[in-house]
Amino acid sequence: MEKAINRQQVLLQHLNPSASSFSSHQNNSALSASACLAGDSAAYQRTNVFGDDVVIVAAYRTALCKSKRGGFKDTYPDDLLAPVLRAVIEKTNLNPSEVGDIVVGTVLAPGSQRASECRMAAFYAGFPETVPVRTVNRQCSSGLQAVADVAAAIKAGFYEIGIGAGLESMTTNPMAWEGSVNPRVKQMEQAQNCLLPMGITSENVAHRFGVTRQEQDQAAVESHRKAAAATASGKFKDEIVPVATKIVDPKTGDEKPVTISVDDGIRANTSVSDLGKLKPVFKKNGTTTAGNSSQVSDGAGAVLLMKRSVAMRKELPILGVFRTFAAVGVDPAIMGVGPAVAIPAAVKSAGLELDDVDLFEINEAFASQFLYCQKKLELDPQKINVNGGAMAIGHPLGATGARCVATLLHEMKRRGKDCRFGVVSMCIGTGMGAAAVFERGDCVDELCNARKVETNSLLSKDAR
C-alpha cells in the first residue's frame, strides 16, 4: 500500500498548481490522495485547475532528406531551421517577442558556429533581437533535451513561453573526430568504449542479446512499410513544413528552385530478400548493414511550449502536455540499450506503468538495439513507431528528438480518446538513453484509459 500511496504523491506533485499562481478559492480545490475505483495508475483524479502544466501548442518539422544526395544537400543549416521556427509562430498567431528562449539541439557542427547559425535562423524567421537563442548537445537526444530544457525553464518560472528545436545537416557536418585523442583513454575501458563506432556498439548488442540478422532486416522492412503507408495517406502533412530551397547540379552548377515537403529516404518496396544481399558494414560476419541502420539525414524541427494558463488565455489548442523526462547512463559498449533503461525511469516518474502508455516513438538508430529494447520492455509492437522510424524516415542527429515529438503528438491527436499517453525515447552515443512522457492535450479530464478494478478499491495494482 505504501508504494501505491508514494506513486500517487508523485502524480499529485505534477497536478497541483503552485500557490502563487492561483487565488485562494482556487487552491481550495487542490488534489488530495484517495482510493480510485476507476482503475490503476492511469486512473488518477484531476480538477480543472491545471494552469502550471507545461503544454505543447505546436510541433513541426521539415521533411528529412538523405545526406549529400537528398533534397537538402545544397541547403544551409540556418535555412533548414528558420522555416520550422517561423511555422510555430505563424500557425499559432503568436507574437514572436513573447518567446522567452529558443533552445536548439544540435550535434555535429562546431559549437560557436552552430550557435551563430541558430541565432541567424531566428532572425530569418522573424524573431526580434530581444529573443535569446542557445544550443544544447546530448548527442542523439539533443532535440528532445531542448524540449525538456524549455519545459523545465517554464516550470521553474524563468519564462512562460519557449521553443525547443533540433537541427542537423549531416551533409554540411559529417561525423568526424577533430584533433588528437588523449592517450589516457587507453587506461580505462569505459573511456575507450566512448570512441567505438556506433555500428560496433550495434554489433555488440546483437551478439550479446541474440538479435539475429533476419530479425533486424525484418524490422527495417516494417519501418519502411509503415513510413510509406503514412506518407501515402497524408499523415505527415500535419507535421511537415514545406521548405523552399534549391538543388545544384554537381556537373553544371545549375541551380533549380524546389520545395521539399516529403521525406526522401523511404523505400516502399524494400524486402527482406533485398536487404539480405547487403554486406555487414562494421564487422566481418556481423549483422549490421546499411539497410538495417538509421539513415544519415538532414532536417530540423521545432516545438512551441508554454504554461497551460497562457495557452488558455490566448485560446490556443493544446496538442499535448509535457509530463516527465529522464536521461540515464549505460555501458558505452552497448549504448543502444539506453531506451530500455530510460523509458521505465521516465514512466515511473510520471506515476505511470508501461502498460499505461499507448504510443512509443523509439529512435531506430539500429535495428539491433531497437529490437532489444522492445523485447526487454515487453512492449506491444503495435504501439511502437506506428508510422515508421529512423531506418526509413532518417536520423538527423540533433533534430531527431523534435521530429519524434511532432510525429508522436500529431498521431496521438488523430487517435483521439483511444490514445492518452505517449513516450519519445532514443539511445545516445557514449552510453546513455533519454525518454520523455507526453499526455494528449484534450483528454486530461477523462479517464479514457483507466482499467476497471472489479474486486477492490486500491490506489493501484502495486497495493495488491
Side-chain angles (χ1 to χ4, degrees):
M1 191 61 150
E2 181 180 355
K3 183 177 180 182
I5 292 175
N6 288 339
R7 181 147 77 186
Q8 193 168 52
Q9 291 299 328
V10 172
L11 285 171
L12 297 183
Q13 290 173 13
H14 288 299
L15 303 178
N16 273 323
S18 63
S20 62
S21 301
F22 298 89
S23 65
S24 59
H25 78 273
Q26 287 174 309
N27 280 334
N28 289 336
S29 66
L31 298 169
S32 60
S34 63
C36 184
L37 287 171
D40 64 3
S41 56
Y44 48 78
Q45 295 181 338
R46 290 174 164 265
T47 73
N48 59 356
V49 182
F50 302 117
D52 279 352
D53 271 348
V54 177
V55 301
I56 296 96
V57 299
Y60 296 102
R61 67 176 179 95
T62 67
L64 303 191
C65 296
K66 293 177 286 189
S67 170
K68 299 185 183 301
R69 299 178 292 128
F72 291 138
K73 71 180 184 67
D74 301 305
T75 303
Y76 287 101
D78 36 323
D79 284 334
L80 278 176
L81 180 60
V84 291
L85 293 180
R86 185 184 306 113
V88 295
I89 296 300
E90 290 184 347
K91 291 180 182 291
T92 56
N93 293 314
L94 182 71
N95 185 337
S97 65
E98 295 184 75
V99 175
D101 201 3
I102 300 172
V103 182
V104 184
T106 185
V107 178
L108 296 176
S112 58
Q113 177 178 325
R114 182 48 48 86
S116 297
E117 290 171 330
C118 292
R119 177 73 162 154
M120 291 155 56
F123 287 136
Y124 300 154
F127 288 83
E129 63 185 30
T130 53
V131 177
V133 180
R134 72 172 171 91
T135 60
V136 61
N137 187 345
R138 199 196 289 270
Q139 307 274 44
C140 299
S141 71
S142 297
L144 184 61
Q145 186 69 58
V147 173
D149 283 3
V150 170
I154 293 173
K155 199 71 174 175
F158 296 162
Y159 47 80
E160 293 186 331
I161 303 173
I163 295 174
L167 167 67
E168 208 71 61
S169 173
M170 300 181 78
T171 295
T172 304
N173 306 108
M175 298 180 70
W177 182 279
E178 294 186 9
S180 59
V181 178
N182 187 344
R184 184 181 179 184
V185 74
K186 298 178 181 179
Q187 302 172 16
M188 184 178 295
E189 183 179 4
Q190 284 182 308
Q192 274 189 300
N193 288 340
C194 290
L195 301 178
L196 288 174
M198 293 299 95
I200 293 298
T201 70
S202 171
E203 293 288 4
N204 291 345
V205 170
H207 177 73
R208 189 175 303 187
F209 302 109
V211 185
T212 68
R213 169 70 182 269
Q214 176 77 13
E215 289 176 309
Q216 294 175 59
D217 287 349
Q218 184 61 52
V221 169
E222 285 299 300
S223 184
H224 282 277
R225 181 188 63 79
K226 291 185 287 188
T231 301
S233 64
K235 285 187 175 181
F236 292 144
K237 289 183 179 179
D238 293 338
E239 64 192 67
I240 292 180
V241 174
V243 177
T245 185
K246 64 184 179 183
I247 295 289
V248 179
D249 188 314
K251 295 181 179 179
T252 65
D254 293 340
E255 296 184 4
K256 177 184 177 183
V258 295
T259 298
I260 305 298
S261 59
V262 178
D263 305 312
D264 67 15
I266 301 168
R267 301 186 298 274
N269 297 322
T270 298
S271 67
V272 172
S273 60
D274 289 338
L275 293 182
K277 299 173 184 177
L278 298 176
K279 295 182 178 180
V281 178
F282 300 96
K283 181 181 178 182
K284 186 178 181 181
N285 299 323
T287 59
T288 300
T289 71
N292 57 37
S293 305
S294 58
Q295 296 191 35
V296 178
S297 311
D298 305 329
V303 180
L304 177 60
L305 302 95
M306 61 183 66
K307 287 181 65 173
R308 182 191 291 278
S309 57
V310 175
M312 293 174 66
R313 185 172 70 243
K314 293 180 176 294
E315 298 183 338
L316 291 172
I318 295 173
L319 188 60
V321 184
F322 184 95
R323 285 302 175 204
T324 58
F325 171 81
V328 301
V330 298
D331 182 353
I334 49 171
M335 66 91 203
V337 306
V341 183
I343 291 173
V347 170
K348 180 180 179 180
S349 178
L352 303 172
E353 297 183 351
L354 288 175
D355 287 346
D356 297 324
V357 180
D358 301 290
L359 283 180
F360 294 85
E361 280 289 329
I362 301 177
N363 186 46
E364 299 168 349
F366 299 95
S368 61
Q369 56 84 210
F370 168 74
L371 289 169
Y372 166 78
C373 294
Q374 175 184 308
K375 293 178 181 179
K376 177 66 176 179
L377 299 180
E378 298 181 347
L379 302 180
D380 181 353
Q382 300 301 314
K383 292 183 176 183
I384 310 173
N385 297 358
V386 295
N387 294 316
M391 288 185 284
I393 299 171
H395 178 26
L397 307 185
T400 285
R403 194 283 294 175
C404 287
V405 171
T407 301
L408 175 75
L409 292 181
H410 283 284
E411 180 62 27
M412 291 175 71
K413 179 182 178 181
R414 278 189 293 271
R415 296 191 173 209
K417 293 184 179 180
D418 292 331
C419 186
R420 183 171 185 176
F421 295 107
V423 166
V424 170
S425 184
M426 63 280 294
C427 59
I428 304 170
T430 70
M432 289 177 280
V437 178
F438 298 86
E439 186 170 6
R440 203 183 80 247
D442 61 352
C443 72
V444 291
D445 295 319
E446 300 178 29
L447 299 177
C448 57
N449 282 6
R451 292 184 289 278
K452 292 182 179 180
V453 177
E454 304 291 349
T455 58
N456 59 54
S457 59
L458 300 176
L459 293 174
S460 84
K461 61 188 181 186
D462 290 330
R464 292 172 187 166

